[in-house]
Amino acid sequence: MRAFIVKSYGKKEKLHLIELPEPMVKENEVLVQIHSAGVNLLDSLIKNGDFKLFLPYKPPFVNGHDLAGVVTKVGSNVGRFKIGDEVYSRVGDHRIGTFAEYIAVNEGDLALKPKNLTMDESRFHSFGWLNRVAGIG
């Protein structure tokens, strides 16, 4: 699969397009083919190295928190999703990687995409929804 990686921290650091193996799915995870990925301030701050003291990603890594896509595989313990489901997510801080074609996501970090929203609209709303729940939006 193709993915954009951060090779090293820095404000002037550019993302690099590379080929990576498709992620393996653990028993409580879902493999999502990403149709829409958001870029938000958190992603920029991580790339710059501003959060590396408490979110210590070791370069190279795939950045990105927000996604909308389609389930392509499910782990053996997954009960809420099936292949073909349209989903969206703001993945957990230690499971980032939405700047790629695929990502393995914990079942608890996903929601079914509302049918009345496009992939782009639902991906956009995942971060906004999280902010509202946290009381900061």
Side-chain angles (χ1 to χ4, degrees):
M1 72 167 186
R2 292 176 297 175
F4 286 98
I5 63 164
V6 175
K7 285 187 177 179
S8 62
Y9 288 114
K11 290 183 180 181
K12 294 185 180 186
E13 172 68 16
K14 295 181 180 180
L15 299 177
H16 302 272
L17 182 62
I18 65 166
E19 286 288 328
L20 291 174
E22 187 176 285
M24 301 296 292
V25 176
K26 296 178 184 169
E27 60 189 19
N28 63 340
E29 293 180 334
V30 173
L31 186 68
V32 177
Q33 180 182 24
I34 298 170
H35 287 237
S36 181
V39 180
N40 62 55
L41 180 59
L42 178 59
D43 300 320
S44 295
L45 294 171
I46 288 171
K47 180 191 71 69
N48 296 348
D50 295 334
F51 288 165
K52 66 183 171 183
L53 289 176
F54 54 93
L55 291 174
Y57 301 110
K58 184 177 178 186
F61 61 90
V62 180
N63 202 357
H65 285 81
D66 304 313
L67 73 89
V70 176
V71 173
T72 60
K73 290 182 186 171
V74 295
S76 59
N77 288 343
V78 172
R80 293 179 34 221
F81 301 98
K82 64 185 182 311
I83 293 172
D85 281 346
E86 293 185 342
V87 294
Y88 70 114
S89 178
R90 192 288 192 180
V91 298
D93 282 331
H94 297 285
R95 298 301 310 266
I96 65 173
T98 63
F99 298 168
E101 291 180 297
Y102 293 89
I103 188 172
V105 180
N106 185 294
E107 176 183 26
D109 288 342
L110 284 173
L112 289 171
K113 181 185 79 60
K115 294 188 184 302
N116 63 330
L117 296 179
T118 67
M119 290 286 185
D120 288 336
E121 291 167 337
S122 62
R123 179 264 314 146
F124 173 77
H125 288 290
S126 66
F127 194 69
W129 174 83
L130 183 66
N131 284 341
R132 283 194 302 279
V133 168
I136 57 177

